Amino acid sequence: MFVREMSEHECLALVSSHRLGRLGCVKGDRPYVVPIYYAHAGQCLYSFSMPGQKIEWMRSNPHVCVQVDEFLDRHQWKSVVVHGRYQELPERGQWHQEHLHAWSALEAYPNWWEPGGLKPAPQEILATSPHLFYCLVIDEVTGRAAVVEG
């Protein structure tokens, strides 16, 4: 097996070809990692969530990372880390068009609202949904790929 650095182009191609990543955020000195579904467009990863711990933590510290991987077997895999910044996309105001763009990018995929729209405990039914869209603005991508020598 040989491990090599991936180019930025290869990293972004992997990110674009997948929908599930692991979001890492930090509050104080505690890390938090959760799965998210996303859509990649330009310099953004768009996603959706209900209010909760990850949103609270990203609001307090917008510096985040997302890890995306592809695993064929223990000798053939790719792993990319996207470093970026959290930007909430409210439905009204200056972010309205970006909010609509995020919704449009995400709804192109089946079950785009999972797992961001699901909670582990029963939720009360509200007249309006408190869901929100957000963008992770990509600052840097790095990746490694393992291949069979031959």
Side-chain angles (χ1 to χ4, degrees), residues 96-107:
H96 178 72
Q97 288 302 319
E98 196 74 4
H99 172 95
L100 294 176
H101 181 69
W103 192 336
S104 176
L106 286 162
E107 75 175 353

Side-chain angles (χ1 to χ4, degrees), residues 51-150:
Q53 183 173 331
K54 74 176 170 285
I55 297 300
E56 177 188 321
W57 285 32
M58 290 190 295
R59 283 174 175 165
S60 71
N61 179 357
H63 300 283
V64 299
C65 66
V66 174
Q67 189 264 335
V68 178
D69 59 14
E70 183 175 275
F71 183 81
L72 298 175
D73 62 43
R74 66 188 188 105
H75 297 291
Q76 298 180 83
W77 50 262
K78 295 177 183 177
S79 181
V80 171
V81 176
V82 176
H83 291 273
R85 293 167 281 114
Y86 170 76
Q87 175 61 62
E88 202 161 312
L89 303 174
E91 189 172 357
R92 302 194 191 316
Q94 74 176 25
W95 297 105
H96 178 72
Q97 288 302 319
E98 196 74 4
H99 172 95
L100 294 176
H101 181 69
W103 192 336
S104 176
L106 286 162
E107 75 175 353
Y109 303 100
N111 301 324
W112 62 271
W113 47 270
E114 296 174 341
L118 303 174
K119 293 289 183 187
Q123 303 293 308
E124 72 175 274
I125 296 175
L126 303 171
T128 61
S129 175
H131 70 275
L132 55 97
F133 290 90
Y134 61 91
C135 171
L136 304 177
V137 180
I138 299 171
D139 291 329
E140 176 187 25
V141 292
T142 61
R144 293 189 176 172
V147 294
V148 176
E149 293 181 89

Side-chain angles (χ1 to χ4, degrees), residues 24-64:
C25 52
V26 175
K27 185 174 181 183
D29 62 354
R30 294 191 61 191
Y32 184 56
V33 177
V34 293
I36 62 167
Y37 281 152
Y38 66 86
H40 175 229
Q43 283 300 108
C44 286
L45 298 182
Y46 293 105
S47 195
F48 163 87
S49 183
M50 300 296 277
Q53 183 173 331
K54 74 176 170 285
I55 297 300
E56 177 188 321
W57 285 32
M58 290 190 295
R59 283 174 175 165
S60 71
N61 179 357
H63 300 283
V64 299

